[in-house]
Every structure is written in structure tokens, then in C-alpha cells.
Amino acid sequence: MKKKVNKIWACCLILLGFISNPSFGQEYQEYKDVAWNEPRSKDSAYYAMREKASIPPFGLKKVQGLVEQQSKKLPDEALVDYDTGISRANFDKLSFEEKFTYTMIYPEIYSQACAERMFVFDPQNKIFGQLLFVYNGVFWSERQLHFMKKNKKRIIDLIIDQATQNHILGLNYKTALIEIDAWESIPFLISFYQKNPKDKDILTTLLQLLKKSDLVGFEQSKIYNKLYGENTHSDSWINFSSANEEYIIESAQALYKKRQNQ
């Protein structure tokens, strides 16, 4: 059991940003842009930043205790994905804020797909089409997704408040905003990015919100084709440029304005 529990915690720690994990490359782009071996230190540091999660403070010790107790009950081995969540009774006893903490630090679905990826050279100068969340071998259960979607406004408000206080928008917060289609957060995301331009995954978050929308012209754009069109992959990217940055921000602003008027 100890071996299995350690494996699950390793995947969760990757999500929380304590372990750096390389990124899977793109077959359609030049092989000189990917590496099977250890990357340059500055590239590794950027990947570590991309994978870093935000840790909510609400009932943190209580939630960590429940997670630790649940980990002792997990099976030694499993050939399929499975739910590692705490009992319904324990989940229901948590306050709203504690459920938020639990969901953000402990996705309940454990996958066998916790695997290494290739690094992309110079990732700090690229805009990726996808975030890294799903690669880490864990994801939210239907119960957790339902909780976030049912309480969409409160979830957005908590994420904005925590990100503003701590000056970081972690991978889990970005992914949550995408999962609940938080177009309402677009002004915040743009403002936060302008204060933290090194975090280009905020642009990725805006792109994912655009991808979920029906904004006229986005699916016909060159950026969409390069990131989500035919022969693209989960680690597809475009080079960062002022023009690409401007297009993404202006498109996101147009989406926000459209949704506001609906």
C-alpha cells in the first residue's frame, strides 16, 4: 500500500508545484524545439512555475488530515482510473470554503497516466494552447466539478481574492476558471497578466475561454489553427509576440463584452 500511496501523492505533489515535470513535445513542430533529456535550468524553472498550484488557507490543516486518512485506504494497485475522494459524509460536513480548499489541493480522480513529458526549449517565450493540469495523473471528480459549477460566482470571487492577496494565479486556479467557463473573470485575468507578464499561461487561460465560446472569427484565426486545428497536440504552442498577445487580449475583451450584453 505504501508504494501506491506514495505514487498518488507524487502525482498530487506535481500538481501542487513541488515536483517539476517535463512537457510532452509537438511532432508537427521542429524537433530542435523539444528535448528528451534534462532542459536548461531557466526552462526547467519556467515549467516549475507553470505547474505551481495555489494553496487556499481555508481549513487547510483539517482538509490535509482528511486527505491523509483517505490515502491510507487506497488500494495497492489499480489498472484503471479510480476515485480517491473522501466519504460523502465527510465532504458534506465541510464548509463552503473548506470544500474549495479540498477541491483545489486534492483532485479526486487518480489516473494511471501520471507520466513524464518532453520539455520544449525556451517555453518562457511561447504561448501554449493547453495548461499542464491534466498531465499530472489527477483530475477533479464529477462531485468536485459539480460543486464548482453550482457555485460559479463564489468560486470566481475566491480565486480572484486569493490571487490578488498572494500575487499568484496557480495552475489549479487557472484550470478551475476554464472548467466553469468563467468568462466573467476576463477583466481580472487581463489585469493580472499585465501585472505578471511572465506568466503566459494566463494568455492560455484566455485562449481556453475563447475556445469554449462562439466568438465570431476565433475558429478561423491563424492562432486557433496553430493551437487547436488539424495535426495539433496537447502541447501545441505559438511563439510569443506583441501581435499575438494583443490579438488574444482583444479577442477576450470582445468575448466579455458580448457575454455581458446577452
Side-chain angles (χ1 to χ4, degrees):
M1 174 178 287
K2 186 175 180 180
K3 179 180 178 182
K4 188 62 176 180
V5 171
N6 287 342
K7 184 178 179 184
I8 293 172
W9 272 106
C11 288
C12 290
L13 287 173
I14 291 171
L15 170 66
L16 295 177
F18 297 114
I19 298 176
S20 178
N21 208 10
S23 176
F24 187 80
Q26 298 169 283
E27 294 178 2
Y28 78 98
Q29 291 174 324
E30 296 183 33
Y31 285 106
K32 68 181 179 63
D33 288 322
V34 300
W36 293 99
N37 299 316
E38 287 300 314
R40 300 174 301 176
S41 59
K42 65 178 181 179
D43 293 350
S44 181
Y46 188 75
Y47 271 98
M49 185 193 78
R50 292 190 72 203
E51 290 188 320
K52 187 174 181 60
S54 296
I55 313 300
F58 315 110
L60 182 58
K61 289 185 178 180
K62 176 181 177 180
V63 169
Q64 288 174 328
L66 289 171
V67 170
E68 185 176 353
Q69 291 175 19
Q70 182 64 19
S71 297
K72 296 176 182 178
K73 304 175 184 178
L74 299 178
D76 291 336
E77 296 293 339
L79 299 178
V80 296
D81 298 353
Y82 62 95
D83 194 322
T84 65
I86 61 177
S87 68
R88 178 176 179 178
N90 282 334
F91 183 81
D92 289 343
K93 289 178 183 177
L94 296 174
S95 68
F96 173 81
E97 290 78 9
E98 290 168 345
K99 287 176 182 175
F100 175 76
T101 295
Y102 173 76
T103 299
M104 290 300 108
I105 73 169
Y106 190 68
E108 292 180 328
I109 299 300
Y110 171 72
S111 172
Q112 297 297 309
C114 185
E116 288 191 338
R117 307 182 299 277
M118 289 189 295
F119 277 95
V120 175
F121 285 125
D122 202 28
Q124 55 272 22
N125 290 312
K126 293 178 171 62
I127 303 170
F128 292 89
Q130 307 280 352
L131 300 177
L132 295 176
F133 192 90
V134 296
Y135 285 115
N136 295 323
V138 289
F139 199 70
W140 290 306
S141 66
E142 287 300 318
R143 171 171 71 176
Q144 291 175 312
L145 290 171
H146 176 74
F147 163 71
M148 290 192 289
K149 292 175 181 178
K150 181 181 178 181
N151 299 284
K152 179 180 180 180
K153 185 181 185 305
R154 294 179 71 184
I155 295 293
I156 293 173
D157 289 345
L158 273 180
I159 288 175
I160 291 176
D161 180 68
Q162 287 297 300
T164 301
Q165 285 188 38
N166 300 308
H167 310 290
I168 181 174
L169 187 68
L171 173 60
N172 49 348
Y173 284 180
K174 295 185 186 90
T175 307
L177 292 175
I178 294 169
E179 286 298 316
I180 63 177
D181 191 18
W183 61 269
E184 299 93 335
S185 68
I186 286 175
F188 160 75
L189 288 170
I190 293 173
S191 174
F192 197 84
Y193 169 72
Q194 290 170 340
K195 297 172 184 175
N196 302 272
K198 291 183 179 180
D199 187 359
K200 294 178 177 60
D201 270 357
I202 299 175
L203 295 177
T204 301
T205 305
L206 291 172
L207 282 165
Q208 283 289 311
L209 291 174
L210 285 164
K211 187 170 180 285
K212 282 178 170 283
S213 76
D214 57 353
L215 185 69
V216 175
F218 180 62
E219 289 190 6
Q220 289 72 45
S221 68
K222 291 181 179 179
I223 285 180
Y224 182 94
N225 183 60
K226 289 180 178 180
L227 293 177
Y228 310 115
E230 188 177 357
N231 298 323
T232 58
H233 298 275
S234 297
D235 265 334
S236 294
W237 49 264
I238 56 175
N239 287 317
F240 175 80
S241 69
S242 297
N244 286 337
E245 176 189 59
E246 182 178 359
Y247 174 81
I248 294 168
I249 290 176
E250 289 183 353
S251 296
Q253 289 172 329
L255 171 60
Y256 179 76
K257 183 177 181 180
K258 176 183 177 182
R259 288 286 185 90
Q260 267 198 321
N261 294 330
Q262 286 180 344

